[in-house]
Amino acid sequence: MSDDAAKPAQPSKRRRSISYHTASVRNAIVTKFPDALLGGRLRARHIVQPIEIAERTLASANWPKAFDGLRIAHLSDIHFGHLLGPERLMQAVDAVRAVRPDLIAITGDLVDLSADESPLLFEHLSLLKASLGVFVVLGNHDHLDHPRSIVRGARDAGLIPLTDESVRAGGRNGLLVAGIDWSKSIPGCIERLRRCGMARSDLLLAHNPKAFVGAVDREIPLTLSGHTHGGQVARRANRRHNLVFTQRLSAGHYQQGDCHLYVTNGVGAWFPLRVNCPPEIAVIEMRAR
Ligand SMILES: [Fe+2]
């Protein structure tokens, strides 16, 4: 497959953080160098894997009856950059469009490293349309370089970036959608949730699945997250036995009372290996009980 990697725009003159440089070195060691040694085969094999459409129907007594049957396409961890370029992104965009969702949620790690590539990313993401809107929250990789330009790019592309805020999707009595920015810890996620202002939302978007702890406290019926990539290497018999050891909530659907969490495998990755953990777009139909 000839998926051309995202071409870096003009090199940025801004001073970058230590985190950015650390991630660049890690990227060179675990991805670019081995991929170059193997003549590009690592990357080619990585992006040739079909993107799985994971369909779920979930029911909650907390879900508003006016939105019974709402279909949400959940796309995450694109990691636009060296491993995932425009062609592969277009496959993901086409897959989302094909399911005709009512709402689209993009839960972070839109870029892998550099925000310089985000104009090309948003050129593609601007093709996503849904009657209730296309919502975006940032992940840890979006913070490596220049998060503000990613938020701006999302807004300019007609998407709705949420940074610790809630909005009504679909008018005054619409679905209350909250979105929090990246935070590493449970207390950090809870603090960001508090900043969203509303006592209770209908839908929470958070890159880190740890936000589910705060969502349960607030009886939010559905939380959508990414970040873990489903562990990338998992046992076939149980995909929750995977390479993620720092997260209890690492892959798939979790439920506590009337609160649901879906942690998607995501579309991209920062290293080119997936075993029993295909790239995925989740399509969730929410029912009011
Ligand atoms: Fe990620």
Side-chain angles (χ1 to χ4, degrees):
M1 186 170 209
S2 62
D3 188 352
D4 50 331
K7 306 283 188 305
Q10 287 298 310
S12 171
K13 289 192 175 74
R14 65 181 166 271
R15 184 178 288 203
R16 280 162 158 151
S17 67
I18 291 173
S19 305
Y20 175 87
H21 292 295
T22 306
S24 298
V25 170
R26 183 185 66 183
N27 184 248
I29 293 170
V30 304
T31 300
K32 284 185 176 165
F33 181 62
D35 188 40
L37 267 183
L38 293 167
R41 279 197 291 267
L42 271 184
R43 184 176 159 277
R45 226 186 254 181
H46 183 67
I47 58 172
V48 83
Q49 294 178 81
I51 299 171
E52 197 170 279
I53 304 296
E55 297 199 56
R56 297 265 180 169
T57 300
L58 306 175
S60 169
N62 297 340
W63 187 255
K65 289 197 169 28
F67 292 94
D68 184 35
L70 189 91
R71 291 174 79 243
I72 303 168
H74 177 204
L75 173 67
S76 194
D77 295 86
I78 297 167
H79 285 266
F80 193 64
H82 175 74
L83 277 179
L84 190 147
E87 258 187 57
R88 180 66 158 174
L89 176 59
M90 203 56 224
Q91 284 179 11
V93 166
D94 284 342
V96 171
R97 292 201 298 184
V99 300
R100 297 177 169 272
D102 303 304
L103 185 150
I104 298 171
I106 305 176
T107 55
D109 282 3
L110 285 87
V111 298
D112 189 49
L113 279 172
S114 172
D116 290 345
E117 288 146 12
S118 60
L120 186 54
L121 166 81
F122 286 118
E123 198 181 304
H124 289 74
L125 294 183
S126 69
L127 301 173
L128 293 174
K129 307 285 178 208
S131 59
L132 290 190
V134 183
F135 295 86
V136 176
V137 292
L138 300 192
N140 47 318
H141 279 251
D142 302 314
H143 277 270
L144 290 172
D145 187 15
H146 202 253
R148 270 186 299 172
S149 71
I150 294 174
V151 169
R152 196 170 49 238
R155 194 170 289 124
D156 291 348
L159 316 181
I160 305 163
L162 296 174
T163 49
D164 306 341
E165 56 198 308
S166 315
V167 297
R168 291 265 177 206
R172 203 152 61 93
N173 297 314
L175 191 79
L176 189 51
V177 184
I180 62 170
D181 205 341
W182 163 250
S183 187
K184 196 174 183 177
S185 66
I186 292 173
C189 290
I190 289 173
E191 170 56 24
R192 288 195 180 280
L193 248 174
R194 194 188 60 74
R195 287 183 209 162
C196 289
M198 299 293 184
R200 186 168 128 185
S201 304
D202 301 317
L203 171 63
L204 171 64
L205 311 183
H207 186 62
N208 194 340
K210 287 179 179 172
F212 189 51
V213 174
V216 171
D217 286 345
R218 287 169 177 245
E219 300 181 316
I220 296 174
L222 179 62
T223 301
L224 299 176
S225 294
H227 186 49
T228 60
H229 307 178
Q232 286 199 213
V233 177
R235 284 181 61 187
R236 192 187 307 220
N238 186 348
R239 290 185 179 179
R240 290 186 185 166
H241 292 169
N242 56 49
L243 282 187
V244 173
F245 303 111
T246 55
Q247 291 266 2
R248 189 172 53 84
L249 308 166
S250 62
H253 172 237
Y254 298 85
Q255 182 171 3
Q256 205 167 318
D258 264 308
C259 302
H260 298 274
L261 165 70
Y262 193 81
V263 186
T264 178
N265 291 351
V267 172
W270 55 268
F271 71 96
L273 181 66
R274 279 187 182 270
V275 179
N276 298 321
C277 190
E280 131 186 315
I281 290 165
V283 180
I284 295 173
E285 181 177 323
M286 278 305 286
R287 307 305 309 247
R289 215 173 3 221

